[in-house]
């Protein structure tokens, strides 16, 4: 709630603010979906400022443990905007994404990604 | 009191009785356990005289005290249909039915009389409780070292790690970066690798002795004057970039 995240696709938004974490009493973590409100947007984009959108967290500054004992953590918080079905709105994704997304069935985001960490 | 009961009880027990014993025994066992040490003390002499002749009856085990140590020696006469029922905990687990001679005495002075039949074993060096984790960790590290030798890693090394990810079956993932910290914890010794990937800083913690890691190679070393290089997070990305 109220976390401002960077948007890393080319859907037109620049910053969104989380207003709800779907799944999880304590908040969304890496790989979870959130509902967010667009706070800052590019002038000609698919989404406008003030729109309520869904997003998938692809980078989080909080470490996420993996089942083999390793942990991964990024330097910033970033999100990729998706629609209700989970398909990304944009056509490109910038920056690295973790391979936890494969387990969460966000395969499309993985294929668009530059680098899978 | 019980010693007088004993001879008759032993006569009545058939020689070949083994298995269906145990549930019955357990009940009798706890009943006898609740009594004080007096039955034991009085019956000690008679018991030692008897135990070479008769098979172990249920009444026998009743005299075993709670803190009794199991001795799995085989009696040359071979009467062990002994249920070595005496545990340190008392009633549970009848184990080693065959060839465990029941010596129906408790510890303390009873042990000397019980061992009159065999020579005393030399005392093994006792392992202290505090050393156990250290010994287990060392063993686990040796076992993992046998499969894949781990190089000596220090903070400031630039390493390359080849990891096998179960999701990514076909190819090994490669991670390169600088070691910014090393946490020593026996088998769960971890190193933290930092690198700038596609413009974003990424830190990954790897357990060094994990079987998923197929190879660790030290590529270069950078001179640092710290054990933990967390200051790199605030510095320019150029310092954490490795081709």
């Amino acid at each position: 709630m109220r976390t401002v995240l960077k948007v890393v696709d080319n859907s037109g938004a620049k910053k969104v603010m989380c207003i709800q974490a779907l799944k999880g009493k304590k908040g969304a973590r890496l790989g979870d979906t959130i509902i967010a409100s667009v706070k800052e947007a590019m002038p000609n984009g698919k989404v406008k400022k003030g729109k309520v959108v869904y997003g998938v967290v692809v980078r989080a500054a909080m470490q996420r443990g993996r089942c083999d004992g390793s942990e991964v953590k990024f330097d910033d918080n970033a999100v990729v905007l998706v629609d209700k079905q989970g398909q990304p709105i944009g056509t490109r994704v910038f920056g690295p994404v973790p391979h936890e997304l494969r387990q969460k069935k966000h395969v499309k985001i993985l294929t668009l990604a530059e680098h899978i960490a | 009191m019980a010693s007088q009961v004993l001879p008759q009880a032993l006569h009545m027990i058939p020689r070949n009785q083994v298995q269906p014993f145990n549930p019955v025994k357990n009940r009798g066992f706890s009943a006898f356990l609740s009594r004080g040490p007096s039955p034991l003390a009085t019956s000690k002499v008679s018991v030692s005289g008897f135990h070479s002749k008769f098979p172990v009856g249920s009444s026998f085990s009743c005299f075993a005290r709670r803190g009794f140590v199991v001795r799995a020696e085989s009696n040359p006469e071979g009467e062990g249909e002994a249920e070595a029922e005496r545990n340190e905990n008392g009633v549970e687990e009848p184990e080693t039915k065959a060839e465990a001679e029941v010596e129906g005495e408790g510890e303390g002075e009873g042990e000397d009389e019980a061992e009159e039949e065999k020579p005393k074993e030399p005392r093994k060096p006792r392992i202290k409780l505090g050393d156990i984790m250290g010994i287990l960790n060392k063993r686990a590290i040796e076992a993992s070292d046998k499969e894949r030798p781990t190089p000596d890693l220090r903070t400031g090394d630039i390493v390359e790690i080849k990891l096998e990810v179960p999701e990514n079956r076909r190819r090994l993932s490669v991670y390169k970066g600088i070691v910014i910290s090393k946490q020593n914890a026996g088998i769960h010794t971890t190193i933290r690798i930092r690198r700038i990937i596609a413009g974003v800083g990424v830190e990954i913690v790897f357990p060094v002795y994990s079987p998923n890691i197929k190879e660790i190679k030290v590529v270069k070393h950078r001179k640092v004057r710290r054990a933990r290089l967390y200051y790199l997070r605030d510095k320019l990305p150029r310092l954490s970039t490795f081709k």
Side-chain angles (χ1 to χ4, degrees):
Chain A
M1 303 293 278
R2 304 195 78 80
T3 306
V4 175
L5 298 118
K6 206 162 69 164
V7 175
V8 290
D9 56 5
N10 58 353
S11 57
K14 282 283 169 211
K15 287 219 180 335
V16 296
M17 178 159 87
C18 170
I19 54 183
Q20 182 67 283
L22 308 165
K23 282 215 182 188
K25 216 167 21 162
K26 288 199 202 160
R29 286 150 79 191
L30 198 61
D32 294 340
T33 324
I34 61 169
I35 305 183
S37 149
V38 178
K39 290 293 174 189
E40 196 184 300
M42 295 258 281
N44 318 316
K46 289 183 206 143
V47 294
K48 297 266 181 283
K49 179 168 161 204
K51 183 155 186 265
V52 172
V53 289
Y54 284 75
V56 169
V57 180
V58 296
R59 294 205 283 272
M62 173 161 146
Q63 66 269 15
R64 171 94 180 191
R66 295 186 173 158
C67 48
D68 62 350
S70 54
E71 293 179 353
V72 65
K73 116 192 230 267
F74 296 88
D75 272 1
D76 63 350
N77 303 310
V79 78
V80 165
L81 302 187
V82 292
D83 57 13
K84 263 225 176 78
Q85 276 71 38
Q87 305 302 316
I89 300 179
T91 54
R92 287 179 66 188
V93 169
F94 304 110
V97 298
H99 54 72
E100 267 85 357
L101 297 180
R102 186 165 293 142
Q103 216 178 16
K104 310 265 180 179
K105 308 279 188 274
H106 295 124
V107 189
K108 199 87 190 330
I109 302 179
L110 279 173
T111 54
L112 293 172
E114 272 181 31
H115 191 281
I116 303 184
Chain B
M1 18 168 210
S3 57
Q4 284 86 26
V5 178
L6 234 197
Q8 291 88 355
L10 283 177
H11 287 305
M12 287 189 293
I13 292 167
R15 278 209 165 237
N16 297 330
Q17 180 180 358
V18 181
Q19 265 86 350
F21 240 17
N22 302 335
V24 179
K25 246 188 317 185
N26 281 334
R27 271 179 257 136
F29 198 21
S30 48
F32 273 92
L33 266 187
S34 53
R35 294 206 201 150
S38 51
L40 242 170
T42 54
S43 62
K44 214 183 287 183
V45 176
S46 53
V47 158
S48 58
F50 275 125
H51 78 258
S52 55
K53 283 207 222 150
F54 292 100
V56 181
S58 58
S59 45
F60 235 76
S61 51
C62 300
F63 293 103
R65 229 190 262 164
R66 235 164 284 126
F68 197 86
V69 176
V70 174
R71 282 175 207 278
E73 307 133 3
S74 53
N75 193 359
E77 279 128 350
E79 271 104 14
E81 342 209 23
E83 334 60 298
E85 194 168 321
R86 315 80 75 236
N87 278 347
E88 269 132 34
N89 302 331
V91 188
E92 322 67 72
E93 294 148 32
E95 50 199 2
T96 67
K97 269 191 233 152
E99 264 94 73
E101 165 83 333
V102 170
E103 306 161 68
E105 277 115 4
E107 18 180 43
E109 69 249 71
E111 277 180 347
D112 295 333
E113 280 134 341
E115 288 172 83
E116 61 199 28
E117 282 205 345
K118 71 176 263 308
K120 197 155 187 175
E121 283 172 350
R123 226 170 214 286
K124 283 180 251 191
R126 296 206 82 196
I127 305 177
K128 298 199 184 136
L129 273 180
D131 298 339
I132 293 181
M133 278 311 285
I135 293 173
L136 288 177
N137 271 323
K138 238 194 296 193
R139 274 196 217 159
I141 291 177
E142 279 164 18
S144 117
D145 256 349
K146 244 194 308 184
E147 303 176 5
R148 183 214 5 127
T150 308
D152 194 32
L153 291 166
R154 295 185 61 197
T155 314
D157 285 347
I158 299 169
V159 300
E160 198 171 301
I161 295 190
K162 289 209 170 66
L163 194 71
E164 178 193 340
V165 177
E167 290 116 2
N168 211 353
R169 293 140 264 122
R170 236 164 310 114
R171 254 176 328 151
L172 301 175
S173 325
V174 178
Y175 293 98
K176 191 167 174 176
I178 185 168
V179 177
I180 62 175
S181 87
K182 177 175 182 196
Q183 307 272 16
N184 293 316
I187 191 71
H188 196 55
T189 305
T190 60
I191 54 173
R192 200 176 201 126
I193 309 277
R194 179 177 169 86
R195 185 185 181 183
I196 304 282
I197 303 180
V200 178
V202 183
E203 288 181 14
I204 311 188
V205 172
F206 292 105
V208 169
Y209 298 112
S210 157
N212 283 339
I213 295 183
K214 292 307 171 202
E215 190 193 333
I216 299 188
K217 203 168 40 163
V218 176
V219 175
K220 253 192 289 200
H221 180 78
R222 183 194 276 182
K223 175 168 177 221
V224 291
R225 305 199 61 171
R226 296 236 152 350
R228 318 254 196 244
L229 312 178
Y230 298 144
Y231 64 83
L232 286 177
R233 293 175 186 157
D234 305 321
K235 292 276 203 174
L236 287 177
R238 174 172 60 90
L239 293 175
S240 305
T241 316
F242 306 99
K243 291 266 172 295

